[in-house]
Amino acid sequence: MWWSGRRSGGAPGMHGEQRSLFRPRESGSLWHPQTDTSRHPSNDTHFYPLCRFSRGAGWCPTMEVSPECTQQGRGLVLLRRRSPTPPGLREALKARLRRSCACSAQRAWALLQDLLPATRWLRQYQPREDLAGDVISGLVIGIILVPQAIAYSLLAGLQPIYSLYTSFFANLIYFLMGTSRHVSVGIFSLLCLMVGQVVDRELLLAGFDPAQDGLGPGANRSALNASATVLALGPQDCGRDCYAIRVATALTLLAGVYQVLMGILGLGFVSAYLSQPLLDGFAMGASVTILTSQLRHLLGVRLPRHQGPGLVVSTWLSLLRGAGQANLCDVLTSAACLAVLLAAQELSDRYRHHLKVPLPTELLVIGAATLVSHFGQFHERFGSSVAGDIPTGFTPPHVPDPALVWRVALDAASLALVGSAFSISLAEMFARSHGYSVRANQELLAVGCCNVLPAFFHCFATSAALAKSLVKTATGCRTQLSSAVSAAVVLLVVLALAPLFRDLQRSVLACVIIVSLRGALRKVRDVPRLWRLSPADALVWVATAATCVLVSTEAGLLAGILLSLLSLASRTRHPSAALLARAGDSSFYGDPEEFEGLVPEPGVQVFRFTGPLYYANKDFFLRSLYSLTGLNAGYAAARRKERGLGAGAGEGEPVEGRDLGPGRSTAALVPSATCFHAVVIDCAPLLFVDAAGLATLQDLRRDYGSLGITLLLACCSPSVRDTLRRGGFLGEDQGDAAEEGQLFPSVHCAVQAARARCQELVAANYTL
């Protein structure tokens, strides 16, 4: 609590009188001692604590509550609120359960709107402003989805029709449930790779050959018919492609269940712990793995599908051994397609500001390659591997195999985590750039339902994809109605146009996949800049990418998460620490290594610890304080207790600390008499204090007290102050003498109070 007083020669309180009270400040205008320098005590008008000034107290005297200061409420401008008493656990659970179980028509409608956001924004849709952009962007994304869906089926080890199913259902469900207006949800190369690795592993365990492609244009149809008619469980009851989609649907179902549970439990924040360097490194490592897996299609060679650690290295060795068996037709086709696609991508990037709609290069290349392969009879004459028959229509739904669901439980966890992280990060990125908000938990529900429901219709895992989302934004997308338009385009292909891609070469699909990785592979150029900005983040990037390439994608994700957490822990475990000094006669205190001309306050050590105080860094906190002040209070207090000495200045004691850098005080021995009588801890950077940190402060106050040194705290946040009060460091009631005597709103007030106390002790000793 503060009042305003007019300075009229000398410091108030130097003569022990009570200053007169002036009119209150304007309502809503509060003074903060560190941010509002225009009303700081160094200016003409001053604000003092409601306290009784002691002789020689300076600007911030001892914090003793003065009853005269409460009369009539005159001049009061700041009154600390009392924290409401938190309800007990039982009462809180009862209240939450009562709110959750309350049912009414209005509440049911609100719940439906939250679950299906389309029911809210469709009623406010403005066709004149939004319809043209949504239709154009939807058509463009649909045209891009068709070739990418067919191509990405190679990554997942599945037939192309399943990718088309996945694209249709994902766009339709996200249109209803998504909160982002610009994100495109569908097949994603990284998730396709992870699905494909699980599918290959299960195929090997079931006795199938993962490297087996369709024997001819008609082979796919028989496999699809088998998957549609066989309902019995067990790999012996269906072929390779049938069992592959059963594995993929089981994996997708469980990954979606994980995501839905995360959304229901409000765990959308978990994806925020996957840092951007981790995601970029994971994308880079996974892209190298994808590139390696598609080389066999580019060259037209038959290679075994390697599994386990070292997949990339083993595949490259197999490619070198089998390079002599390359199919010349596939090699020439791949070279031509790569040249056209890369040139088109470069031209699109260079002239993207002049193109209102991106060129559908992939669709044009696939169409031309299909015509050339069909009329040139590349499969019959040269043995080129082709897509084969892609049937029209939808196959009957089926329930994923429960036995397979349990076998892929761990794989589904990593799949769900990666999909959630990319989806939420992209949704938040586009929301920030276009000025609206998204709900992370609802995004988890939307992406989870895009996996759970389609899993019953022969679909596999999906998430948001950056490349298609950028195209969506560039083509004028305004709402998620564009996703419904894209789903309609894919539906047209599924119902009528899919058989046209029968003679499409797999090498062309591999070219489409490789060109789509260009953006992720170019992220390696960001590593030097990231190293200059933060070596720890650069290490996370490199370690994640290297582990993905050399071991596996799952191991890379786990390594990245562990390194990110270790990096975060190391930054909080060893934060910077410094002794602050004063700038002249002002109230500013700073680090002498950062500012010149600062003078240490005589007899008072001001210590700043720029981090939280918790169990992992409490020892570093003490070592830093002891090393900088030159006094190991714990050791000195223990020695003094053993010798039975009274409180007073300590004798020479060794200091246990570490060198905190040049310019820091690292005295090996404490002088025969301590040169300070008070220690002020600047708690402004102190984010939180846990039980171990609180015990550290209590022990520190006890040790300093036994040596005749006062410990004061300044600039404590409300959360830290509440922790100190609940832990017994302060009194139980707000504003009591114990709190007012140890907590101060600024470092300057704490320093002046410490000097006032010292003067009172000196005066009392002199009188005695």
Side-chain angles (χ1 to χ4, degrees), residues 4-37:
S4 171
R6 179 70 59 179
R7 183 176 181 180
S8 56
M14 293 294 292
H15 307 289
E17 77 257 18
Q18 296 287 343
R19 302 291 296 175
S20 61
L21 301 179
F22 290 83
R23 62 180 177 85
R25 293 179 53 196
E26 295 82 355
S27 61
S29 176
L30 301 180
W31 174 72
H32 191 279
Q34 291 186 333
T35 59
D36 194 352
T37 55

Side-chain angles (χ1 to χ4, degrees), residues 519-536:
L521 293 173
R522 292 169 67 175
K523 290 183 180 292
V524 71
R525 300 185 300 184
D526 299 336
V527 176
R529 182 188 61 84
L530 186 61
W531 176 264
R532 293 191 296 269
L533 180 65
S534 173

Side-chain angles (χ1 to χ4, degrees), residues 36 118 175 224 246 302 343 384 447 546 603 621 674 680 759:
D36 194 352
F175 156 71
L224 290 169
R246 289 167 65 175
R302 182 179 173 83
S384 293
V447 176
F621 172 85
T674 54
V680 176
Q759 293 175 4

Side-chain angles (χ1 to χ4, degrees), residues 170-191:
N171 279 276
L172 193 59
I173 294 174
Y174 193 80
F175 156 71
L176 296 172
M177 301 187 65
T179 60
S180 174
R181 304 173 190 171
H182 301 87
V183 160
S184 176
V185 173
I187 52 176
F188 184 34
S189 59
L190 301 185
L191 297 189

Side-chain angles (χ1 to χ4, degrees), residues 266-295:
L267 300 180
F269 67 91
V270 173
S271 62
Y273 287 92
L274 299 182
S275 63
Q276 194 61 43
L278 186 154
L279 294 177
D280 290 343
F282 179 77
M284 174 63 187
S287 299
V288 172
T289 306
I290 294 172
L291 173 64
T292 303
S293 68
Q294 296 306 300
L295 290 178

Side-chain angles (χ1 to χ4, degrees), residues 386-409:
V386 295
D389 284 329
I390 304 177
T392 57
F394 292 91
T395 57
H398 77 286
V399 179
D401 188 346
L404 289 174
V405 169
W406 291 112
R407 292 178 59 174
V408 297

